[in-house]
């Protein structure tokens, strides 16, 4: 632990000590006592000091219910929870980000509560004033409210689960949300969203669902097969379709005029990176993004990448990245069985090197396929039609990247500590011809 982390941890323990001392003071006003508790909770969750928070939650649960203490805490925290959710939105967080990060740091129970709170709060806004992507994210939570109509979720939890179980959970969630850092704003918060004045009543779709369905079917086949040659052929077929679909959508949007066509500007998508081997996984995502004319930035301290591109390209990047992670893991496991050498093939260094090599080589091959499809489109459409459109879109992506991340710095390169892992990873990515769609069942 560094000196800065040590100071923060000491500060959190001092905050807990003050809170525990205050809990024994029956004369302390409820407002002051709760504020001390909340500040201590924010300190402990901020440094991840689980032991300190457990001591805090035990004291909260066991404090005598004098002068309406429990009713006051419940009422106050129920007011603070939606306020804390609103604060995260004003700091650039979106519903999926909040729920995902809460789950990663505090566990699935707190994540479920956060999903309920987010879903409930969004119902307070007119639907047309909320970005449609937010409604899509909330729909994925699959929250089914079980509390009576008109009652707050937090109050219903207290009545169902009881004070001892739920009050500390609510305190921790509120404290955690209030101390979340600011993120780059990638879209308007609820209440501020407005359809563009030039939008058509029914704008053309930016992603052909039939094409996307075929792409996903190919990637599912790539994940299901035990043959590396077949997996790469299926993946190559998917990338061909992605690249061509991107070009087709670019020409459609160029024909309609960027000012009239919704989606005629770059969008953003946050893709969360799960441990372990996060750095190698971000290299893989960046390789896929570059091959599909997108830019990617890793927010390491939180755990996600922001991908910037046009809608069709973002759909392609997310689908392909998810599939390639599955394929890379399977290939890494096979390589580990084949190349056992005193346990090295199962070491962290081997796997990190394997995934890094796999990512770099896959990126090269995906880029080759994109270039082939671009050349085919040039022959069909002509340079004077295609190239200005692609150049303009690429510049739009770069401009949006600079707008969101004006001071981004390039991170350190991955340290390759295992030559066997690097060679095996590159070999796994290079196993097949990775060739044409003729090798892929339609």
């Amino acid at each position: 632990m560094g000196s800065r982390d040590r100071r923060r941890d000491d500060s959190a323990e001092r905050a807990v000590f003050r809170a525990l001392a205050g809990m024994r003071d029956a004369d302390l006003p409820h407002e002051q006592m709760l504020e001390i508790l909340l500040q201590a909770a924010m300190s402990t969750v901020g440094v991840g000091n689980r032991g300190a928070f457990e001591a805090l939650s035990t004291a909260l649960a066991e404090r005598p219910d004098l002068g309406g203490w429990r009713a006051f805490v419940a009422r106050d925290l129920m007011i603070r929870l939606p306020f804390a959710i609103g604060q995260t939105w004003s700091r650039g967080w979106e519903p999926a980000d909040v729920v995902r990060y809460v789950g990663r740091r505090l566990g699935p129970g707190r994540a479920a509560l956060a999903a309920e709170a987010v879903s409930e709060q969004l119902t307070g806004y007119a639907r047309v004033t909320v970005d449609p992507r937010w409604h899509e994210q909330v729909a994925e939570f699959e929250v089914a409210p079980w509390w009576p109509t008109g009652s707050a979720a937090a109050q219903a939890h207290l009545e169902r689960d009881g004070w001892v179980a739920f009050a500390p959970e609510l305190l921790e969630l509120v404290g955690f949300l209030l101390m979340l850092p600011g993120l780059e704003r990638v879209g308007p918060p609820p209440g501020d969203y407005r359809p563009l004045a030039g939008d058509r009543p029914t704008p053309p779709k930016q992603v052909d669902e039939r094409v996307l369905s075929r792409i996903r079917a190919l990637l599912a086949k790539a994940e299901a097969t035990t043959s590396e040659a077949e997996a790469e052929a299926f993946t190559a077929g998917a990338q061909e379709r992605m690249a061509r679909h991107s070009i087709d959508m670019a020409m459609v949007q160029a024909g309609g005029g960027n000012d009239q066509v919704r989606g005629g500007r770059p969008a953003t998508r946050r893709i969360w990176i799960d441990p372990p081997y996060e750095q190698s996984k971000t290299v893989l995502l960046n390789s896929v993004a570059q091959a599909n004319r997108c830019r990617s930035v890793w927010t390491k301290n939180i755990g996600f990448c922001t991908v910037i591109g046009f809608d069709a390209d973002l759909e392609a990047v997310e689908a392909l990245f998810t599939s390639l992670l599955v394929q890379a893991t399977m290939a890494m496991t096979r390589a580990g069985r084949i190349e056992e050498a005193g346990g090295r093939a199962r070491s962290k260094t081997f796997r990190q090197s394997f995934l890094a090599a796999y990512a770099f080589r896959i990126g090269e091959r995906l880029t080759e396929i994109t270039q082939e499809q671009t050349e085919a489109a040039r022959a069909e459409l002509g340079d004077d039609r295609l190239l200005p459109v692609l150049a303009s879109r690429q510049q739009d992506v770069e401009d949006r990247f600079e707008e969101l991340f004006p001071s981004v710095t390039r991170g350190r390169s991955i340290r390759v500590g295992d030559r066997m892992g690097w060679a095996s990873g590159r070999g796994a990515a290079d196993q097949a011809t990775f060739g044409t769609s003729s090798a892929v069942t339609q």
Side-chain angles (χ1 to χ4, degrees):
M1 181 185 295
S3 59
R4 183 178 179 182
D5 292 335
R6 215 176 289 115
R7 287 195 300 270
R8 291 176 63 202
D9 204 51
D10 291 343
S11 176
E13 292 188 357
R14 286 194 298 270
V16 171
F17 179 80
R18 287 195 299 272
L20 296 179
M23 296 287 276
R24 294 189 289 268
D25 185 353
D27 296 328
L28 198 64
H30 290 344
E31 295 85 352
Q32 185 177 347
M33 185 65 253
L34 183 57
E35 194 62 38
I36 293 173
L37 273 173
L38 190 57
Q39 292 299 321
M42 293 171 65
S43 296
T44 59
V45 297
V47 298
N49 190 329
R50 194 69 204 169
F53 182 80
E54 290 296 337
L56 196 67
S57 63
T58 299
L60 170 64
E62 294 179 352
R63 190 179 198 230
D65 187 21
L66 301 175
W69 164 250
R70 291 185 177 182
F72 172 81
V73 171
R75 182 174 60 253
D76 191 276
L77 288 179
M78 282 190 293
I79 294 172
R80 289 179 188 257
L81 179 56
F83 172 79
I85 292 288
Q87 286 292 100
T88 67
W89 294 344
S90 69
R91 293 198 296 270
W93 292 72
E94 296 189 346
D97 304 325
V98 171
V99 175
R100 187 71 180 265
Y101 195 51
V102 168
R104 179 173 290 189
R105 291 288 303 274
L106 304 183
R110 310 300 193 271
L113 177 58
E116 292 174 358
V118 167
S119 300
E120 185 175 24
Q121 189 165 354
L122 276 186
T123 62
Y125 294 90
R127 193 173 184 87
V128 295
T129 67
V130 179
D131 191 322
R133 295 184 307 106
W134 285 46
H135 289 299
E136 293 171 3
Q137 292 176 21
V138 169
E140 292 180 1
F141 300 159
E142 298 182 348
V143 173
W146 48 266
W147 49 88
T149 302
S151 69
Q155 180 63 48
H157 271 285
L158 281 168
E159 294 173 356
R160 184 188 71 173
D161 302 333
W163 170 265
V164 172
F166 185 64
E169 181 176 289
L170 185 56
L171 175 68
E172 183 178 32
L173 179 59
V174 171
F176 182 77
L177 294 175
L178 289 174
M179 50 74 62
L180 288 181
L183 302 177
E184 294 78 14
R185 186 183 296 283
V186 297
D192 290 350
Y193 176 81
R194 298 290 184 275
L196 298 177
D199 280 353
R200 300 169 181 173
T202 306
K205 289 183 69 63
Q206 302 311 303
V207 181
D208 189 323
E209 291 297 332
R210 294 170 300 175
V211 174
L212 189 59
S213 178
R214 287 195 291 270
I215 288 170
R216 287 172 174 159
L218 287 171
L219 294 176
K221 291 180 180 179
E223 295 168 26
T225 183
T226 57
S227 166
E228 292 182 1
E230 287 184 357
E232 295 201 31
F234 285 131
T235 305
Q239 177 63 25
E240 288 180 5
R241 283 160 176 76
M242 291 173 183
R244 185 61 203 218
H245 180 52
S246 174
I247 292 171
D248 291 342
M249 294 307 299
M251 298 307 297
V252 168
Q253 291 180 10
N258 281 355
D259 291 336
Q260 285 82 31
V261 182
R262 167 60 81 70
R265 62 190 61 79
T268 59
R269 186 166 303 187
R270 287 177 178 145
I271 298 178
W272 285 75
I273 307 297
D274 293 323
Y277 317 119
E278 295 96 316
Q279 188 176 14
S280 292
K281 291 176 182 177
T282 62
V283 172
L284 177 60
L285 176 56
N286 188 58
S287 297
V288 175
Q290 288 184 337
N292 288 280
R293 301 187 175 95
C294 297
R295 292 291 302 270
S296 175
V297 179
W298 183 24
T299 304
K300 182 178 180 180
N301 61 318
I302 303 296
F304 63 77
C305 287
T306 303
V307 185
I308 303 167
F310 288 84
D311 287 333
D313 301 328
L314 292 178
E315 290 285 352
V317 168
E318 187 164 19
L320 186 54
F321 171 67
T322 301
S323 177
L324 284 172
L325 271 185
V326 174
Q327 296 182 53
T329 301
M330 292 189 297
M332 183 173 63
T333 301
R334 286 193 296 268
R337 287 198 299 264
I338 294 171
E339 303 204 31
E340 281 289 351
R344 280 180 59 208
R346 292 181 180 175
S347 70
K348 179 178 179 179
T349 304
F350 174 90
R351 290 171 177 254
Q352 180 89 356
S353 300
F354 180 100
L355 287 174
Y358 188 95
F360 282 120
R361 184 53 183 148
I362 286 293
E364 292 172 356
R365 311 199 80 179
L366 295 179
T367 299
E368 291 170 6
I369 293 171
T370 298
Q371 291 172 345
E372 290 169 2
Q373 290 301 306
T374 302
E375 288 300 317
R378 287 177 63 184
E380 178 183 336
L381 300 172
D383 288 357
D384 58 332
R385 291 186 60 200
L386 178 63
L387 295 186
V389 172
L390 295 183
S392 175
R393 286 166 70 88
Q394 192 65 55
Q395 186 59 53
D396 288 344
V397 170
E398 295 299 325
D399 290 344
R400 181 59 172 153
F401 176 87
E402 291 296 331
E403 178 185 343
L404 285 175
F405 303 99
S407 58
V408 69
T409 57
R410 182 178 296 275
R412 292 181 300 175
S413 301
I414 291 181
R415 180 177 178 273
V416 178
D418 193 301
R419 292 184 179 180
M420 180 194 298
W422 179 268
S424 296
R426 194 168 180 85
D430 232 349
Q431 192 68 227
T433 305
F434 208 66
T436 65
S437 57
S438 61
V440 181
T441 303
Q442 301 290 332

